[in-house]
């Protein structure tokens, strides 16, 4: 079995799970159902600590939800409030006046039970947990299963979400992994977006989506393939306002690809949107690793944040009582040379 389990905190029941062979290695933590490391050969391609000694403290203190499974709602809900079926709900306002990532009692803070299913080159880490209305103030309790699967032969990590709620509610899960394909955590300036229709949704000053009319970055810059540096130096007001990207983008073909000279990460999903965030203003020092602005990017496959206010009763994140929810997103690494 190409799996190793290390008990990092026996009292809190936090375990580090490593799946590996001679070509790659991926590590998961049952605290936040998070990815903490992914190495192709000796190259680390996600942001996080390099050793397990202070890993639990690192993720307890890190404000950027590195690698965590997010829920019950990925992104912001304006003013932490919404109406569903004629009832108004007030949520925790943990991001200025907004609710962000479901609040402080979201999935990113949970220690979850798990089991490992080993099928040789394909290993599943199957997490189970419950989201309770009394903890996050959303309606309904959700029974949730999150499966992190790693295919060693294909260098492919797949996340499957399965859920059912006791009441009509909102459910918009995603994973907050930060990629950097370079040999070190240098700037992602050189990374190329391998999509020639990169359309983002503009944000208001309060970081809430302002309109469903998109901005086509390719047309605005006159470039078919964009580097992140092209975007950072584009002069576009949306980019300058946030010192980078923190925007939902439309997924026309349910795929999104980013590469540097050596590697490509290819995301495939059944979701309609991806939020691309470029770690814009870092005000937290991770001590040893010195995370800096623009040293990583996210590909958060999800419903568009604040969809309950954009679409009302037709919001994709509405999960009906007793309805079976399932969503699948995968990230595959392709070696260019």
């Amino acid at each position: 079995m190409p799996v190793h389990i290390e008990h990092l905190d026996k009292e809190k029941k936090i375990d580090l799970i490593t799946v590996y062979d001679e070509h790659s290695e991926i590590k998961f933590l049952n605290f936040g159902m998070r990815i903490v490391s992914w190495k192709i050969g000796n190259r680390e391609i996600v942001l996080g600590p390099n050793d397990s000694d202070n890993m639990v403290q690192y993720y307890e203190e890190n404000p950027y939800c590195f690698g965590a499974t997010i829920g019950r709602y990925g992104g912001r809900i304006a003013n932490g409030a919404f109406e569903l079926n004629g009832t108004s709900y007030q949520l925790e306002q943990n991001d200025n006046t907004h609710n962000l990532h479901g609040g402080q009692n979201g999935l990113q803070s949970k220690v979850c039970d798990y089991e490992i299913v080993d099928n040789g080159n394909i290993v599943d880490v199957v997490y189970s947990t419950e989201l309770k209305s009394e903890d996050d103030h959303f309606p309904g309790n959700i029974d949730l299963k999150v499966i992190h699967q790693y295919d060693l032969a294909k260098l492919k990590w797949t996340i499957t979400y399965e859920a059912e709620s006791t009441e009509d509610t909102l459910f918009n899960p995603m994973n907050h992994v930060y990629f950097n394909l370079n040999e070190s955590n240098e700037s992602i300036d050189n990374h190329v977006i391998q999509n020639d229709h990169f359309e983002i949704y503009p944000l208001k000053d309060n970081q809430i989506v302002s309109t469903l009319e998109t901005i086509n970055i390719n047309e605005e810059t006159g470039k078919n393939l964009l580097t992140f540096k092209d975007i950072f130096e584009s002069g576009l007001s949306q980019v300058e306002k946030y010192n980078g990207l923190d925007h939902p983008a439309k997924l026309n073909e349910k795929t999104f690809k980013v590469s540097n000279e050596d590697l490509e990460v290819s995301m495939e999903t059944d979701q309609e949107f991806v939020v691309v965030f470029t770690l814009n203003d870092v005000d937290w020092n991770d001590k040893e690793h010195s995370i800096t602005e623009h040293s990583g990017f996210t590909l958060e496959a999800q419903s568009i944040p604040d969809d309950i206010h954009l679409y009302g009763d037709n919001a994709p994140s509405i999960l009906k009582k007793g309805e079976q929810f399932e969503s699948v997103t995968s990230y595959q690494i392709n070696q260019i040379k």
Side-chain angles (χ1 to χ4, degrees):
M1 174 187 283
V3 180
H4 174 73
I5 298 174
E6 182 179 354
H7 304 295
L8 298 188
D9 191 317
K10 292 183 179 179
E11 183 177 344
K12 294 179 180 179
K13 298 181 179 180
I14 297 176
D15 294 342
L16 179 66
I17 304 147
T18 303
V19 182
Y20 63 96
D21 65 8
E22 65 271 26
H23 304 296
S24 69
E25 175 188 271
I26 195 166
K27 295 185 179 183
F28 303 113
L29 200 65
N30 66 325
F31 171 41
M33 295 183 285
R34 62 191 356 115
I35 180 173
V36 302
S37 173
W38 191 359
K39 290 182 179 179
I40 307 301
N42 293 320
R43 181 174 301 196
E44 177 65 73
I45 63 169
V46 302
L47 300 189
N50 293 324
D51 58 66
S52 59
D53 290 345
N54 299 305
M55 186 174 286
V56 174
Q57 180 183 0
Y58 180 97
Y59 287 112
E60 287 175 338
E61 295 177 358
N62 184 302
Y64 304 112
C65 299
F66 277 15
T69 297
I70 300 296
R72 87 177 62 184
Y73 196 95
R76 294 173 177 84
I77 295 177
N79 299 314
F82 66 95
E83 184 175 302
L84 183 64
N85 299 334
T87 300
S88 297
Y89 296 92
Q90 181 62 56
L91 308 172
E92 177 188 2
Q93 294 170 301
N94 63 317
D95 182 62
N96 295 317
T97 63
H98 309 311
N99 179 270
L100 177 64
H101 298 335
Q104 294 182 357
N105 292 324
L107 293 174
Q108 63 271 21
S109 66
K110 284 184 171 292
V111 178
C112 302
D113 294 332
Y114 69 92
E115 62 176 323
I116 294 173
V117 180
D118 178 29
N119 294 306
N121 279 337
I122 298 177
V123 177
D124 291 350
V125 182
V126 183
Y127 298 101
S128 299
T129 191
E130 182 181 16
L131 284 165
K132 295 182 179 180
S133 181
E134 63 188 62
D135 294 332
D136 62 13
H137 310 299
F138 286 81
N141 299 331
I142 293 179
D143 282 326
L144 176 64
K145 182 180 289 184
V146 178
I147 304 167
H148 285 199
Q149 179 184 91
Y150 190 55
D151 187 324
L152 290 147
K154 294 183 178 180
L155 305 179
K156 186 176 184 179
W157 164 44
T158 300
I159 311 166
T160 301
Y161 307 90
E162 299 175 358
E164 184 177 344
S165 178
T166 60
E167 302 291 341
D168 289 3
T169 191
L170 303 186
F171 188 56
N172 187 20
M174 58 85 165
N175 189 276
H176 217 304
V177 59
Y178 289 76
F179 291 100
N180 186 322
L181 303 177
N182 294 323
E183 290 189 49
S184 63
N185 288 346
E186 60 194 74
S187 172
I188 56 170
D189 278 0
N190 63 321
H191 288 49
V192 180
I193 296 175
Q194 299 286 342
N195 299 61
D196 57 6
H197 290 87
F198 184 37
E199 300 175 69
I200 65 170
Y201 291 81
L203 306 178
K204 295 182 283 190
D205 289 343
N206 59 5
Q207 292 182 276
I208 299 296
V209 175
S210 60
T211 174
L212 291 174
E213 296 293 325
T214 60
I215 300 171
N216 189 312
I217 304 295
N218 301 93
E219 291 181 357
E220 293 289 336
T221 60
K223 299 191 177 198
N224 289 332
L225 296 180
L226 295 156
T227 65
F228 279 116
K229 183 177 182 180
D230 292 332
I231 295 172
F232 297 150
E233 297 180 353
S234 65
L236 292 171
S237 60
Q238 281 288 307
V239 176
E240 291 188 340
K241 183 184 295 185
Y242 298 106
N243 190 36
L245 295 173
D246 190 9
H247 296 72
K250 180 69 174 175
L251 287 173
N252 295 312
E253 298 179 0
K254 303 298 183 72
T255 63
F256 200 90
K257 299 179 180 182
V258 178
S259 67
N260 67 357
E261 298 83 359
D262 304 313
L263 300 172
E264 175 190 77
V265 55
S266 175
M267 184 192 77
E268 294 187 5
T269 185
D270 54 13
Q271 293 294 311
E272 298 288 335
F273 304 92
V274 59
V275 174
V276 183
F277 175 51
T278 50
L279 200 56
N280 300 324
D281 295 301
V282 176
D283 57 5
W284 178 74
N285 188 342
D286 77 340
K287 300 165 187 172
E288 181 182 351
H289 308 99
S290 299
I291 299 300
T292 59
E293 67 178 39
H294 300 164
S295 62
F297 64 93
T298 71
L299 299 177
E300 305 163 23
Q302 59 178 103
S303 297
I304 192 168
D306 203 38
D307 67 343
I308 187 62
H309 293 124
L310 294 167
Y311 295 101
D313 293 340
N314 296 316
S317 69
I318 296 175
L319 177 60
K320 296 291 187 179
K321 175 182 177 180
E323 181 180 281
Q324 299 294 317
F325 176 96
E326 182 172 340
S327 180
V328 181
T329 296
S330 67
Y331 303 91
Q332 183 167 1
I333 301 302
N334 301 308
Q335 296 177 299
I336 296 174
K337 62 179 181 179

